[in-house]
Structures are given as C-alpha cells and as structure tokens.
Amino acid sequence: MGGREVTGRLLAQRKQSLQFTFHPGPSLSNMAVCYACLTLLALGSARVGSADSMADRLPLEPYDRLFSMAVDAYYRDDWQGVILNMERALQNRAALRRAKIHCRAECSHKMKFSIANSSHDLFMDMNYFHTVLRKADCLKVCEGERLGPHSLHHISEEVQLEFHKRTPYNYLQVAYFKIKMLDKAVAAAHTFFMVNPDHLEMRQNLEYYKMMAGVKDADFKDLEAKAHMEAFRQGVRLYTDEQFKHSIRFLENALEEYFKANAECRALCEGPYNFDGYNYMEYNADLYQAITDHYIQVLGCKQNCVTELAIRPDREAPIEDFLPTHLDYLQFAYYNSENYSQAIECTKTYLLFYPNDEVMNQNLQYYQAVLGDELSRHLTHREDIQTYIANSLLEKELLYFANEIFGVTFIDPDKWTPESVIPVKLKAKQKAERETAARISEEIGNLMKEIENLVDEKTKESSEIVKMVKEGGPLLFDSVQVVMNARLLNGTQRVLLDGVITDEECQEMRYLSNAAASLGDGYYGRPSPHTPNERFQGVTVLKALKLSQKGTIPLKTSRLFYDVSEKVRRIIESYFRMETPLHFAYSHLVCRTAVEGMQDKREDLSHSVHVDNCILNSEALECPKQHPAYTERDYSAILYLNHDFEGGNFIFTEIDAKVITAMVNPKCGRVVAFSSGAENPHGVQAVTKGQRCGVALWFTLDPTQKERERIEADDLVNMLFGMEEELQPDEGDVKEPVPTDHRTDHRPSDVPTDHRPSDVPTDHRPSDVPTDHRSSDVPTDHRSSDVPTDHRSSERPAPEPIHKPQDGAEPAGDAAEQETEVKGSMTEGSKVPEHMIKTMEPAPTVPDTKSTAALNIPSTKQEL
C-alpha cells in the first residue's frame, strides 16, 4: 500500500473518531481545540486529495531560465533557439500571472470571512484565523497544481525589470528578421518601441521596416496591449469622428475590460510582503503589527491599480480620472445617438464621482426634460460602479487611518475622493505643511528673483541682439514686408508680415472655405469647439484637392491653397534662418462666424489663451512640454484672408494668460508667425460680427513627424497637375535603405545587462511616421486622442469630452493682426479679464421638435 493511501485512511479514521456536537457554554478551551483539530484535518485531506493531480502534471518551467537560454542562443547566432525559448519565456510568464490570479480569486470566493454568532472574543478570533488557514492552504494547493513547487518561480528583480521594459521583444525582432519572418519582426519591434520611445536604434529599425516590401500597416501592432486601453482609444477615435453609435460599443467594452483588469491587478497585490525599508533579519513586529504592515501594503497596491490601468505604454503620466472619463464620453455619445435613457444612467453614474459638477448636472436636467418625468423617474446609476466607489472609499479610510496612526505613506491616486474621507488632523497637518512650504518657496523665490534680475540685466541686451540677428533672414518675395519684428511685438521669435498674398487670392481662398464647408466638411456648421457664440467651418489641403478631383471645386482653387501654404512655409523658414528644413505638421483653412443674437454682453474669447506645443498652466506659471500637447510643433503661423468683421483680434500674452503683450488685427495677406513654445502664449478675442477666415499652419523640424495628409497631398498634386510639376523631396527625406549588421561584441549598446540585440537595421527612416502611427482618425489638435479636455476650474481639474476635436479648429493659436496695437508698458488696465480667459463650451444642436423648453443643452467641456 502506497504512502498516500495509508495517509488518507488514517486521516479518515481520525475524522470519524473526532466527531462532536457543539453546545453553547462549555469550556472555551475545548472549543478552541476542536476548531484547531478540524482545521488541521481539513488542510491535510485537501493536500492528500490533490497529490494525484500534481503527479500527473509537469511543473511550469520558470521563465527566467528560458530567458537566459534565449540570450545564450542569441550570442551563438542560433535564431531558432532565440525564438523558441523567448516565446516560451513570454508564454510562461503570462501563465504564471494567470495561475496566480485564478488561484487567488478562486480561494477568495471559496473561503469567505464571516462573523461568528458568539460573544466570545476568542471564538471570533478562531473563526477568523480558521478562514485564513483554509485560504492559505487553498492557495498552496491551487498554485502547486498549476505551477509546481513555489521555489521554482522566485524571479530576480533584474529579470522582472527586463520583462517590464519588454527587452525579450528586442531579441525577438532580430531573430525573426534573420529568418525572414518580417511580420513577426515588425510586431516585436513595435511592441518594444511602445515602452521605449526614446530608443533611437529601434526607431530607425521601424522606419526601415516601413520601407520594406511585404510589410503591412497591420503588422505594426502592440503584442502586450491592454484590452481595456485599446478599446478605450478606439472608442475615443470614433467619438472624435462623430461616429457616436459605433463609439458606444467600444467605450462600453472598455469599461467591462477595465473592471476585469482591475480585479486581476488587485488579485496580484496579495503577494509576499515587501520588506523595502526594513532589514529582513531585524524585522520583529508582533502578530497584529505584522498583519497590519502586510495588509496596508496590499491595500496601497490595490489603490495603485487606478494608476496602473490608466497608463499607456508610450506615455509617462496616467490619464487623469480615467474611469469617470469613460462615463463622460458615454453620456455624450448616447445623447448624440438619441438614447436618453442610457445618457441619464451614465450621467448619474458620473455624478457619483463628482456630485457637484455643474455641467453634468445641467446635462442631466436636459436629458430628463427631453425624456419626460414619467420615463426618467426610475432611471438610476450603475450599481457595479457604486459598489466600486464604496469599496474604494473604505480602503482609502483605512489607509488614511494607517497614515495618521502609524505614519504609513499614502498618496491618493483619485481626484474625486471626498474631503470628508481625509482625517481632520491630517487635513490640518497638510494645510500647515502647505503653508510652510509656500512660505519657504516664496522666500526662496524672492531670493532667486533678485539673482535672476541681476543676471538678466547683463544678458538681456546681448541675447536680444543675437535673436534679432537670427530672425532677420530674407523674405524671398518682393511683395512681402515686415510690419513688426519680435522687439516691436514685445517678445521673442515673433514676426508680423504683410503682402503675402493678393486680394484676389484672399477672395478665392474664402470661396474655398465656404464651398467646402457647405458640402459637410469640418464640423457641419456646428458651434465652434471653443465657444457657443461662434460657428466654425474648415477644410484641409488634402480635402480641397479631393474635392477638385471630384469636380466639385475648380482645380486652380485647391492648387492655390496648396501653393499658398508652401509659400508661407518657405518665408518662415528663411526669415527665422532655419538650419534644418521646416515640415508641415498640420494645415487648415478655417472660418469663424459670429452667431447673431448671442453677442450681447459677451465676455468670452473666441480661442482661449494657450501654447501650441505644451500644456499651459497659467496659475502655476509653467508650461510642461508633454503629452497630450503636440510637442513636435516648433513654429506656427496664421495667414489672414479678410478684415470685414468685428472683433477677432489676435493677442500675445505673458505666461499668466492675463497680461497682453501685443495685439494684432487681421487683414488680407497678413501673416503672424512665431515659435510654438512657452515663450509665445496667445489667443483670439471674440468675433462679434461677421466671418473671420485664415489659414492655420503648424510646422515641425522633425522629419519623422511630418503630416501624413501633406504627403498624400503632394502625391495628389503630382497626379492632378502632371509630371512636369513633380514635387521635389524635402531635405529630410531619406534614400533607399540598406540593412547593415553593425554588431561589435554581440551586445546592445545601451543595456548594461546584455539583454538587447544590436544587429538590427540601421537608420533609413522615412520622415512621416510618428511613434504610434497616428492616422486621420486621431484628433489633431492640442489634445491627446484619449483624453478629453478639462471643463473645470483650476482648483479641481477633470476632463470632459468635446463633440469634435480641434483638428484644425484654428492652430494652437490664431495669429495675425491688422493695424497692430502693441502694449508696451503693461498696466493693470491691460490685463485680460479673468472671465475672458476660460471659454464656455459649445452646446450641441437639438432638433426643434425636441426643444420644447428653455433648457441648458448638454455642453462639451472647455479646453484648458
């Protein structure tokens, strides 16, 4: 008889001999002994029962061992060995993760904690620890069956970091390239690059792959993409294209996948205790302190899932308010699909996060009025999200308590947490710390200002001379004249030009804008993305050429648009003495029309003050150059087409977005051009009468960020106007690529752990491929395609969807002025009123049949 059979029989006999009936009141120690015996018997029988299944299953091979074997194969040029072992390493790592998630979820479901029906404290403790022991045994058996001995999967931090950086895909792209499997090589390269966007060698490889025969756009896929994030991004793309019904399916799927990913993330938090900050050998906490330490660490990890799930691999910062943002998009998408029941449900659910949100409460009132009291009365929020919020708040209270009592650090990842959750003492302490920090910062700031003033006085004069010399390049055309340079415009890298095009050309361009808009281009005559008091319409160069191709508008008109934009590019490139060529980043002919009857007592701006390539925070006086801003933009320009309107002056301001430093009035043929950085905050004053038209242009010095539409337009011009007008390639374009094996010691040049292949294609990149392969469905304005802009005050920023991205809604700054009015010495009177800086959002139009009452129509939220 085998050992397992003997053990099983003995345990069965012992269970029969220990049967008893519990009566309230007898000796408490007897109860405790009986409970302990039952627990140990249950644990033993569970292990015996699972022993047979373990014997039939081979343990999962550790992925760090497979990774090491793949690296060894790489150095031997054994490409099949690299692929076999590295793919298995990735598969086993995923299997290890799945097994842990499955076992922890299953055991948590089977072994639930309950409160005993007894007044005896010891019995309640025994009940708790009985569940703890059963759950621990369940986990040990479950993971043992699926993974083998626990000691097999102790992975070093170094190897974990390599997988976190997606280093295995760097090896795989080389191996697949060597055996001519280009689709897999491209996918591996793209997957690695998504987490390592600054890896120049991989960028070069991707550009090379794009030029190879047989490589398709579909091959550039992220093999490690998060399902919820991909669904969210696709939903937002459709949303910004105003395909609201289609976007709903993806956004709802994103919510479903989000909660699956959240459950998995939280399950993985229940791992071993991290002794970071402690000496393992000297850690001597007692029972409850040790339980507290570990449990608080687990809670902190679970709260951090909010941040982890909101991070895209190609971005450093998470998407703020990621979960509420789903509901924000959905309520407006359902509204545009005329599904008011779902719009009410999503709006009420959003208000669970921000109950005092003014815009969302207005939307709710409107939806309820349209649907009617009878139908809307019984509609409520989503229960699963209410449960999520309640659970999260309870965890936050425990973590804040631990912070207050034990000094455990907790940084709340959510902006929606009510202040009532934060302990009073902690709020007072935080307030005192903020006041102290502010006082110290103020003192340091004053001291630094004194030093800066001394330095500035000595350097300003020389730097201005250098800039003036750099900015004074030739204008290339006799008709073009400099009206004001940077010094007269009270700034740097600014210029105002007249005579760029003729009156006849202005008229033809205005005809183009109105003809294209009447055919449904741009925003279908809907309110401007920046203010409900104006209407917006526009057309791109490519769209104009396609309309000409169809015979809708004259060929010479679309060609004029193409030629005028190129003329402006050449003038700016020459005037600012560029050492490298400028490339188009985006081009748009736009017109803004004042809405009659809505101009009385108007106090908003046509386009709020902003910066083109960074996120302007006027309160903090800073402008971080990071996503979702279009950081690739280097220079901006506006070519104006008319002056027969009222208002609409272009303004430069200080970084506080209040003090105006220069003002320009538009007129035909006038161009205002400037660098796109924080040195040039700008905006547009309200258009109060008539229509204001101009060509908005952004440029980049990076050939890899060149606008794809412009490349298509170049090809279309070549086809429409004949080979005699064949376009010359930009200086930044590259010639035919030739792959080169440049390995030296078989090691990656920039990874000290020798885990990056280096014999990959060298730099032969085309100039028009951005990192994430943006297509035309991605918003091309100041905002990320994933993140709606903020409609709240600076005290509590939070995003809201817009019913159309600012594709060309006017470059990150209209520019150009007529009869230029410059404010030299600034006074209090020259400040832009506070209410003029923060624009109201456009309200979606509603058919007359539904607008039976005076309502606040749901609005999209304002741009920062």
Side-chain angles (χ1 to χ4, degrees):
M1 184 178 295
R4 281 198 299 271
E5 289 78 6
V6 172
T7 304
R9 181 172 296 180
L10 288 173
L11 285 170
Q13 293 173 356
R14 291 163 77 182
K15 288 175 69 177
Q16 291 175 1
S17 66
L18 285 172
Q19 292 180 352
F20 70 99
T21 303
F22 172 69
H23 300 282
S27 166
L28 195 58
S29 60
N30 289 339
M31 291 192 302
V33 170
C34 292
Y35 227 95
C37 289
L38 280 178
T39 299
L40 294 173
L41 286 171
L43 301 185
S45 61
R47 289 195 187 91
V48 171
S50 64
D52 293 320
S53 60
M54 285 182 61
D56 297 334
R57 184 179 299 185
L58 291 174
L60 185 72
E61 189 168 4
Y63 70 84
D64 58 343
R65 183 185 302 166
L66 292 167
F67 178 72
S68 179
M69 293 165 62
V71 173
D72 290 342
Y74 172 81
Y75 292 137
R76 298 193 306 270
D77 290 349
D78 177 8
W79 310 121
Q80 296 287 357
V82 173
I83 293 169
L84 176 65
N85 289 296
M86 201 65 82
E87 292 284 13
R88 286 181 60 203
L90 290 166
Q91 292 168 7
N92 284 14
R93 179 172 179 262
L96 177 64
R97 184 180 186 274
R98 288 195 302 270
K100 289 183 176 182
I101 291 171
H102 169 79
C103 290
R104 290 171 188 176
E106 183 180 66
C107 293
S108 291
H109 179 72
K110 286 181 178 179
M111 315 296 174
K112 294 182 179 294
F113 290 101
S114 60
I115 300 176
N117 295 320
S118 171
S119 61
H120 298 296
D121 293 340
L122 177 59
F123 190 83
M124 293 177 69
D125 281 354
M126 290 296 296
N127 183 40
Y128 169 77
F129 284 109
H130 171 242
T131 306
V132 169
L133 289 171
R134 290 174 62 209
K135 186 176 289 190
D137 185 64
C138 175
L139 285 170
K140 186 172 183 180
V141 171
C142 180
E143 291 185 2
E145 288 177 350
R146 285 166 171 75
L147 305 175
H150 181 67
S151 59
L152 278 177
H153 302 286
H154 286 166
I155 311 298
S156 69
E157 290 185 5
E158 291 78 8
V159 173
Q160 292 183 50
L161 179 61
E162 293 300 328
F163 277 80
H164 179 73
K165 295 190 302 182
R166 301 189 180 181
T167 300
Y169 291 100
N170 203 346
Y171 285 101
L172 284 171
Q173 69 100 12
V174 175
Y176 281 124
F177 177 78
K178 290 291 187 180
I179 64 172
K180 311 300 183 187
M181 295 183 68
L182 292 183
D183 56 336
K184 291 184 177 295
V186 170
H190 182 72
T191 302
F192 174 82
F193 188 71
M194 290 300 292
V195 172
N196 302 274
D198 296 327
H199 197 287
L200 296 180
E201 186 178 76
M202 191 60 75
R203 179 189 291 272
Q204 295 167 6
N205 295 346
L206 286 168
E207 303 301 347
Y208 172 74
Y209 287 134
K210 282 183 174 294
M211 303 174 71
M212 295 183 70
V215 175
K216 303 181 292 291
D217 287 343
D219 295 334
F220 293 85
K221 54 190 175 185
D222 184 0
L223 301 175
E224 296 278 349
K226 300 174 183 177
H228 72 278
M229 186 63 75
E230 290 300 297
F232 177 74
R233 294 179 68 188
Q234 183 59 29
V236 172
R237 290 190 185 105
L238 293 169
Y239 177 98
T240 51
D241 279 349
E242 297 188 354
Q243 299 181 44
F244 297 111
K245 288 186 178 179
H246 296 296
S247 73
I248 288 170
R249 178 167 61 90
F250 286 96
L251 291 170
E252 290 286 11
N253 178 249
L255 266 181
E256 182 181 344
E257 293 295 336
Y258 178 90
F259 283 110
K260 288 181 183 178
N262 184 59
E264 293 178 355
C265 177
R266 294 170 65 85
L268 291 172
C269 287
E270 298 175 357
Y273 184 62
N274 181 2
F275 286 91
D276 186 28
Y278 292 103
N279 184 321
Y280 174 78
M281 300 301 294
E282 296 177 1
Y283 184 75
N284 58 359
D286 61 21
L287 173 63
Y288 292 101
Q289 181 62 53
I291 292 173
T292 299
D293 288 344
H294 199 163
Y295 186 62
I296 292 301
Q297 190 176 93
V298 169
L299 283 185
C301 174
K302 289 182 176 181
Q303 281 286 302
N304 194 56
C305 287
V306 172
T307 301
E308 183 175 330
L309 296 180
I311 293 179
R312 284 175 49 182
D314 56 337
R315 304 280 175 87
E316 293 182 2
I319 300 172
E320 287 189 356
D321 271 342
F322 188 46
L323 186 54
T325 297
H326 286 73
L327 299 161
D328 205 343
Y329 276 117
L330 279 169
Q331 62 91 17
F332 203 72
Y334 277 123
Y335 156 72
N336 279 279
S337 303
E338 299 186 357
N339 188 338
Y340 296 104
S341 298
Q342 287 297 321
I344 289 173
E345 180 187 78
C346 292
T347 303
K348 285 189 172 183
T349 308
Y350 181 92
L351 290 170
L352 292 175
F353 293 98
Y354 292 106
N356 299 319
D357 186 286
E358 183 179 352
V359 173
M360 201 61 75
N361 276 298
Q362 290 175 356
N363 290 358
L364 179 60
Q365 292 173 15
Y366 173 75
Y367 299 148
Q368 289 172 333
V370 172
L371 192 61
D373 292 339
E374 188 66 28
L375 295 175
S376 63
R377 183 181 300 118
H378 304 293
L379 296 175
T380 185
H381 51 255
R382 299 189 178 188
E383 294 295 333
D384 57 340
I385 294 184
Q386 184 184 37
T387 302
Y388 167 87
I389 292 174
N391 182 68
S392 181
L393 289 177
L394 181 57
E395 290 178 350
K396 294 178 195 293
E397 288 178 1
L398 292 173
L399 287 163
Y400 275 123
F401 178 80
N403 176 273
E404 188 178 22
I405 303 302
F406 301 110
V408 178
T409 302
F410 171 56
I411 300 175
D412 194 340
D414 292 308
K415 292 185 176 295
W416 53 263
T417 304
E419 282 201 11
S420 58
V421 173
I422 306 174
V424 175
K425 290 183 179 178
L426 183 59
K427 283 192 285 189
K429 180 182 176 183
Q430 290 175 345
K431 182 180 178 182
E433 289 176 348
R434 285 196 299 269
E435 290 174 350
T436 302
R439 187 176 65 254
I440 294 173
S441 297
E442 184 179 3
E443 293 173 356
I444 294 174
N446 291 336
L447 180 60
M448 293 301 296
K449 282 181 181 178
E450 292 179 11
I451 297 173
E452 289 174 2
N453 288 337
L454 292 173
V455 174
D456 287 346
E457 289 176 3
K458 293 184 176 294
T459 59
K460 186 175 181 180
E461 185 175 347
S462 59
S463 63
E464 289 297 326
I465 293 173
V466 171
K467 289 174 182 175
M468 289 293 294
V469 170
K470 183 177 181 181
E471 293 177 12
L475 298 176
L476 304 180
F477 300 90
D478 294 337
S479 62
V480 181
Q481 297 178 344
V482 175
V483 178
M484 304 190 80
N485 59 18
R487 182 177 61 81
L488 295 176
L489 288 170
N490 291 331
T492 60
Q493 294 285 287
R494 304 173 180 177
V495 68
L496 189 65
L497 306 170
D498 274 352
V500 176
I501 61 175
T502 65
D503 291 344
E504 292 74 16
E505 290 171 329
C506 285
Q507 291 177 6
E508 191 164 356
M509 293 287 283
R510 287 193 67 185
Y511 158 76
L512 171 61
S513 172
N514 288 291
S518 66
L519 296 174
D521 185 67
Y523 296 81
Y524 305 92
R526 293 187 177 181
S528 163
H530 309 297
T531 170
N533 302 311
E534 298 173 15
R535 304 235 178 229
F536 173 89
Q537 61 193 48
V539 62
T540 63
V541 173
L542 182 62
K543 182 62 180 292
L545 289 167
K546 287 183 176 179
L547 289 173
S548 292
Q549 190 179 22
K550 294 177 182 178
T552 307
I553 60 175
L555 274 172
K556 67 181 183 66
T557 303
S558 60
R559 179 59 190 262
L560 174 63
F561 186 8
Y562 178 89
D563 290 340
V564 162
S565 60
E566 173 62 19
K567 183 178 182 180
V568 173
R569 186 195 69 82
R570 291 182 59 200
I571 292 172
I572 294 173
E573 184 180 273
S574 176
Y575 179 79
F576 287 112
R577 300 181 188 273
M578 303 293 175
E579 296 179 358
T580 57
L582 277 180
H583 305 278
F584 286 98
Y586 195 67
S587 315
H588 204 204
L589 194 166
V590 294
C591 290
R592 299 163 181 268
T593 306
V595 178
E596 293 184 7
M598 298 185 67
Q599 304 304 317
D600 293 341
K601 298 181 181 179
R602 182 176 172 187
E603 296 179 336
D604 65 337
L605 295 178
S606 176
H607 196 165
S608 56
V609 175
H610 57 280
V611 176
D612 287 355
N613 69 7
C614 58
I615 303 171
L616 178 61
N617 185 342
S618 59
E619 301 293 332
L621 303 180
E622 62 182 13
C623 194
K625 194 172 182 180
Q626 62 188 33
H627 293 292
Y630 280 102
T631 57
E632 72 276 5
R633 293 176 177 173
D634 295 301
Y635 283 85
S636 309
I638 305 295
L639 166 63
Y640 287 104
L641 304 179
N642 66 314
H643 68 277
D644 53 341
F645 57 88
E646 294 180 7
N649 292 333
F650 177 88
I651 56 174
F652 284 114
T653 74
E654 298 285 2
I655 197 169
D656 63 2
K658 297 176 183 178
V659 179
I660 297 176
T661 58
M663 183 182 296
V664 184
N665 296 330
K667 75 172 185 178
C668 169
R670 171 164 284 177
V671 167
V672 61
F674 48 92
S675 56
S676 304
E679 65 278 4
N680 284 316
H682 54 280
V684 181
Q685 294 180 329
V687 178
T688 56
K689 184 178 180 180
Q691 184 184 66
R692 171 187 185 274
C693 295
V695 179
L697 301 164
W698 294 272
F699 305 99
T700 178
L701 293 169
D702 184 356
T704 66
Q705 299 295 331
K706 187 162 60 174
E707 180 189 13
R708 283 193 171 191
E709 276 205 13
R710 190 69 186 197
I711 296 172
E712 291 183 50
D714 291 344
D715 294 338
L716 194 53
V717 166
N718 186 42
M719 182 185 73
L720 293 174
F721 296 94
M723 292 303 294
E724 70 275 6
E725 297 182 356
E726 183 174 359
L727 300 172
Q728 297 298 318
D730 287 344
E731 296 177 33
D733 291 346
V734 295
K735 307 299 185 224
E736 183 68 25
V738 180
T740 305
D741 190 334
H742 57 276
R743 285 188 299 168
T744 53
D745 61 350
H746 301 282
R747 303 187 176 199
S749 60
D750 61 343
V751 180
T753 50
D754 288 339
H755 294 317
R756 187 176 61 76
S758 59
D759 62 339
V760 283
T762 54
D763 185 7
H764 297 288
R765 14 178 191 171
S767 60
D768 62 335
V769 186
T771 301
D772 62 354
H773 316 294
R774 276 192 304 173
S775 62
S776 59
D777 60 273
V778 182
T780 51
D781 61 300
H782 320 304
R783 293 170 250 186
S784 151
S785 60
D786 296 0
V787 188
T789 52
D790 199 336
H791 70 292
R792 300 176 181 80
S793 65
S794 59
E795 285 81 18
R796 192 198 66 188
E800 167 164 0
I802 51 171
H803 62 268
K804 185 68 183 177
Q806 294 179 53
D807 256 9
E810 208 137 337
D814 294 357
E817 294 347 338
Q818 170 180 270
E819 284 127 52
T820 310
E821 180 181 349
V822 179
K823 314 295 183 184
S825 57
M826 289 296 107
T827 64
E828 189 64 25
S830 62
K831 292 189 176 182
V832 179
E834 190 74 40
H835 50 262
M836 290 181 63
I837 302 303
K838 303 180 185 294
T839 63
M840 296 298 294
E841 276 317 309
T845 54
V846 179
D848 292 338
T849 55
K850 297 179 181 176
S851 55
T852 57
L855 299 169
N856 287 315
I857 299 174
S859 60
T860 58
K861 303 176 183 177
Q862 323 186 87
E863 176 186 350
L864 282 172

